[in-house]
PDB file of all heavy atoms in Angstrom:
ATOM      1  N   GLN M 154      46.775  20.543  35.942  1.00  0.00           N
ATOM      2  CA  GLN M 154      47.188  21.178  34.697  1.00  0.00           C
ATOM      3  C   GLN M 154      45.953  21.695  33.974  1.00  0.00           C
ATOM      4  O   GLN M 154      45.425  21.049  33.083  1.00  0.00           O
ATOM      5  CB  GLN M 154      48.015  20.253  33.824  1.00  0.00           C
ATOM      6  CG  GLN M 154      47.725  18.792  34.017  1.00  0.00           C
ATOM      7  CD  GLN M 154      48.864  17.926  33.535  1.00  0.00           C
ATOM      8  OE1 GLN M 154      50.034  18.321  33.557  1.00  0.00           O
ATOM      9  NE2 GLN M 154      48.545  16.749  33.071  1.00  0.00           N
ATOM     10  N   THR M 214      43.259  10.488  23.560  1.00  0.00           N
ATOM     11  CA  THR M 214      44.053  11.166  24.596  1.00  0.00           C
ATOM     12  C   THR M 214      45.299  11.756  23.934  1.00  0.00           C
ATOM     13  O   THR M 214      45.656  11.366  22.807  1.00  0.00           O
ATOM     14  CB  THR M 214      44.542  10.191  25.707  1.00  0.00           C
ATOM     15  OG1 THR M 214      45.457   9.254  25.133  1.00  0.00           O
ATOM     16  CG2 THR M 214      43.406   9.447  26.380  1.00  0.00           C
ATOM     17  N   GLY M 215      45.983  12.624  24.655  1.00  0.00           N
ATOM     18  CA  GLY M 215      47.256  13.149  24.167  1.00  0.00           C
ATOM     19  C   GLY M 215      48.275  12.023  24.073  1.00  0.00           C
ATOM     20  O   GLY M 215      49.078  11.963  23.137  1.00  0.00           O
ATOM     21  N   TRP M 216      48.248  11.154  25.059  1.00  0.00           N
ATOM     22  CA  TRP M 216      49.192  10.025  25.075  1.00  0.00           C
ATOM     23  C   TRP M 216      49.014   9.185  23.810  1.00  0.00           C
ATOM     24  O   TRP M 216      49.994   8.808  23.154  1.00  0.00           O
ATOM     25  CB  TRP M 216      48.944   9.169  26.330  1.00  0.00           C
ATOM     26  CG  TRP M 216      50.123   8.316  26.703  1.00  0.00           C
ATOM     27  CD1 TRP M 216      51.089   8.610  27.617  1.00  0.00           C
ATOM     28  CD2 TRP M 216      50.463   7.030  26.160  1.00  0.00           C
ATOM     29  NE1 TRP M 216      52.019   7.596  27.668  1.00  0.00           N
ATOM     30  CE2 TRP M 216      51.666   6.613  26.795  1.00  0.00           C
ATOM     31  CE3 TRP M 216      49.890   6.197  25.203  1.00  0.00           C
ATOM     32  CZ2 TRP M 216      52.282   5.395  26.501  1.00  0.00           C
ATOM     33  CZ3 TRP M 216      50.520   4.989  24.909  1.00  0.00           C
ATOM     34  CH2 TRP M 216      51.693   4.601  25.554  1.00  0.00           C
ATOM     35  N   HIS M 240      58.603  12.692  26.148  1.00  0.00           N
ATOM     36  CA  HIS M 240      57.549  12.121  27.002  1.00  0.00           C
ATOM     37  C   HIS M 240      57.361  10.620  26.773  1.00  0.00           C
ATOM     38  O   HIS M 240      57.613  10.100  25.685  1.00  0.00           O
ATOM     39  CB  HIS M 240      56.231  12.852  26.713  1.00  0.00           C
ATOM     40  CG  HIS M 240      55.135  12.505  27.669  1.00  0.00           C
ATOM     41  ND1 HIS M 240      54.134  11.618  27.360  1.00  0.00           N
ATOM     42  CD2 HIS M 240      54.902  12.913  28.935  1.00  0.00           C
ATOM     43  CE1 HIS M 240      53.315  11.506  28.395  1.00  0.00           C
ATOM     44  NE2 HIS M 240      53.754  12.291  29.360  1.00  0.00           N
ATOM     45  N   CYS M 242      54.837   8.856  26.079  1.00  0.00           N
ATOM     46  CA  CYS M 242      54.035   8.404  24.925  1.00  0.00           C
ATOM     47  C   CYS M 242      54.903   8.292  23.674  1.00  0.00           C
ATOM     48  O   CYS M 242      54.716   7.399  22.836  1.00  0.00           O
ATOM     49  CB  CYS M 242      52.842   9.321  24.683  1.00  0.00           C
ATOM     50  SG  CYS M 242      53.210  11.054  24.373  1.00  0.00           S
ATOM     51  N   GLU M 286      59.989  18.166  21.956  1.00  0.00           N
ATOM     52  CA  GLU M 286      58.799  18.819  22.532  1.00  0.00           C
ATOM     53  C   GLU M 286      58.949  20.332  22.443  1.00  0.00           C
ATOM     54  O   GLU M 286      60.060  20.857  22.467  1.00  0.00           O
ATOM     55  CB  GLU M 286      58.636  18.404  24.000  1.00  0.00           C
ATOM     56  CG  GLU M 286      58.374  16.918  24.147  1.00  0.00           C
ATOM     57  CD  GLU M 286      58.160  16.472  25.598  1.00  0.00           C
ATOM     58  OE1 GLU M 286      57.934  17.315  26.479  1.00  0.00           O
ATOM     59  OE2 GLU M 286      58.236  15.243  25.818  1.00  0.00           O
ATOM     60  N   SER M 290      58.232  19.169  30.149  1.00  0.00           N
ATOM     61  CA  SER M 290      57.347  19.351  31.303  1.00  0.00           C
ATOM     62  C   SER M 290      58.013  19.137  32.650  1.00  0.00           C
ATOM     63  O   SER M 290      57.389  19.341  33.681  1.00  0.00           O
ATOM     64  CB  SER M 290      56.163  18.396  31.183  1.00  0.00           C
ATOM     65  OG  SER M 290      56.609  17.064  31.245  1.00  0.00           O
ATOM     66  N   ASP M 315      55.986  17.763  20.021  1.00  0.00           N
ATOM     67  CA  ASP M 315      54.876  17.607  20.966  1.00  0.00           C
ATOM     68  C   ASP M 315      54.666  18.946  21.677  1.00  0.00           C
ATOM     69  O   ASP M 315      55.555  19.414  22.391  1.00  0.00           O
ATOM     70  CB  ASP M 315      55.245  16.497  21.959  1.00  0.00           C
ATOM     71  CG  ASP M 315      54.204  16.264  23.043  1.00  0.00           C
ATOM     72  OD1 ASP M 315      53.333  17.129  23.241  1.00  0.00           O
ATOM     73  OD2 ASP M 315      54.275  15.215  23.708  1.00  0.00           O
ATOM     74  N   ALA M 317      52.208  19.685  23.893  1.00  0.00           N
ATOM     75  CA  ALA M 317      51.198  19.489  24.945  1.00  0.00           C
ATOM     76  C   ALA M 317      51.177  20.623  25.962  1.00  0.00           C
ATOM     77  O   ALA M 317      50.102  21.045  26.401  1.00  0.00           O
ATOM     78  CB  ALA M 317      51.466  18.151  25.659  1.00  0.00           C
ATOM     79  N   HIS M 318      52.352  21.119  26.364  1.00  0.00           N
ATOM     80  CA  HIS M 318      52.377  22.043  27.501  1.00  0.00           C
ATOM     81  C   HIS M 318      52.446  23.516  27.122  1.00  0.00           C
ATOM     82  O   HIS M 318      52.373  24.367  28.003  1.00  0.00           O
ATOM     83  CB  HIS M 318      53.549  21.705  28.427  1.00  0.00           C
ATOM     84  CG  HIS M 318      53.294  20.466  29.225  1.00  0.00           C
ATOM     85  ND1 HIS M 318      52.570  20.479  30.394  1.00  0.00           N
ATOM     86  CD2 HIS M 318      53.624  19.177  29.000  1.00  0.00           C
ATOM     87  CE1 HIS M 318      52.497  19.241  30.869  1.00  0.00           C
ATOM     88  NE2 HIS M 318      53.110  18.435  30.037  1.00  0.00           N
ATOM     89  N   MET M 344      52.158  17.567  17.252  1.00  0.00           N
ATOM     90  CA  MET M 344      51.274  16.687  18.032  1.00  0.00           C
ATOM     91  C   MET M 344      50.970  17.380  19.347  1.00  0.00           C
ATOM     92  O   MET M 344      51.834  18.028  19.926  1.00  0.00           O
ATOM     93  CB  MET M 344      52.044  15.373  18.253  1.00  0.00           C
ATOM     94  CG  MET M 344      51.428  14.359  19.144  1.00  0.00           C
ATOM     95  SD  MET M 344      52.438  14.269  20.651  1.00  0.00           S
ATOM     96  CE  MET M 344      51.176  14.505  21.871  1.00  0.00           C
ATOM     97  N   SER M 346      48.109  17.805  23.034  1.00  0.00           N
ATOM     98  CA  SER M 346      47.135  17.245  23.981  1.00  0.00           C
ATOM     99  C   SER M 346      46.154  18.355  24.367  1.00  0.00           C
ATOM    100  O   SER M 346      46.529  19.525  24.390  1.00  0.00           O
ATOM    101  CB  SER M 346      47.895  16.770  25.225  1.00  0.00           C
ATOM    102  OG  SER M 346      47.033  16.725  26.323  1.00  0.00           O
ATOM    103  N   SER M 348      44.663  18.214  27.317  1.00  0.00           N
ATOM    104  CA  SER M 348      44.419  18.064  28.756  1.00  0.00           C
ATOM    105  C   SER M 348      45.107  19.099  29.622  1.00  0.00           C
ATOM    106  O   SER M 348      44.895  19.111  30.835  1.00  0.00           O
ATOM    107  CB  SER M 348      44.870  16.665  29.185  1.00  0.00           C
ATOM    108  OG  SER M 348      46.267  16.529  28.996  1.00  0.00           O
ATOM    109  N   LYS M 349      45.918  19.975  29.031  1.00  0.00           N
ATOM    110  CA  LYS M 349      46.597  20.975  29.869  1.00  0.00           C
ATOM    111  C   LYS M 349      45.904  22.337  29.765  1.00  0.00           C
ATOM    112  O   LYS M 349      45.804  23.051  30.738  1.00  0.00           O
ATOM    113  CB  LYS M 349      48.065  21.152  29.469  1.00  0.00           C
ATOM    114  CG  LYS M 349      48.758  19.915  28.937  1.00  0.00           C
ATOM    115  CD  LYS M 349      48.900  18.806  29.933  1.00  0.00           C
ATOM    116  CE  LYS M 349      49.496  17.566  29.292  1.00  0.00           C
ATOM    117  NZ  LYS M 349      49.331  16.370  30.096  1.00  0.00           N
ATOM    118  N   GLY M 355      42.066  14.179  25.407  1.00  0.00           N
ATOM    119  CA  GLY M 355      42.090  14.164  23.948  1.00  0.00           C
ATOM    120  C   GLY M 355      43.402  14.705  23.417  1.00  0.00           C
ATOM    121  O   GLY M 355      44.165  15.347  24.152  1.00  0.00           O
TER     122      GLY M 355
HETATM  123  C1  PLP D 159      54.679  16.209  26.775  1.00  0.00           C
HETATM  124  C2  PLP D 159      53.441  15.402  26.937  1.00  0.00           C
HETATM  125  N1  PLP D 159      52.950  14.753  25.866  1.00  0.00           N
HETATM  126  C3  PLP D 159      51.828  13.998  25.956  1.00  0.00           C
HETATM  127  C4  PLP D 159      51.150  13.873  27.139  1.00  0.00           C
HETATM  128  C5  PLP D 159      49.941  12.998  27.211  1.00  0.00           C
HETATM  129  O1  PLP D 159      48.813  13.781  27.232  1.00  0.00           O
HETATM  130  P1  PLP D 159      47.477  13.325  27.961  1.00  0.00           P
HETATM  131  O2  PLP D 159      47.755  13.331  29.429  1.00  0.00           O
HETATM  132  O3  PLP D 159      46.536  14.381  27.554  1.00  0.00           O
HETATM  133  O4  PLP D 159      47.120  11.975  27.468  1.00  0.00           O
HETATM  134  C6  PLP D 159      51.610  14.543  28.269  1.00  0.00           C
HETATM  135  C7  PLP D 159      50.850  14.438  29.527  1.00  0.00           C
HETATM  136  O5  PLP D 159      51.257  14.282  30.582  1.00  0.00           O
HETATM  137  C8  PLP D 159      52.797  15.307  28.171  1.00  0.00           C
HETATM  138  O6  PLP D 159      53.300  15.923  29.246  1.00  0.00           O
END
Side-chain angles (χ1 to χ4, degrees):
Q154 28 201 30
T214 65
W216 201 96
H240 189 259
C242 59
E286 296 182 15
S290 64
D315 177 344
H318 286 277
M344 174 249 127
S346 157
S348 64
K349 328 295 175 195

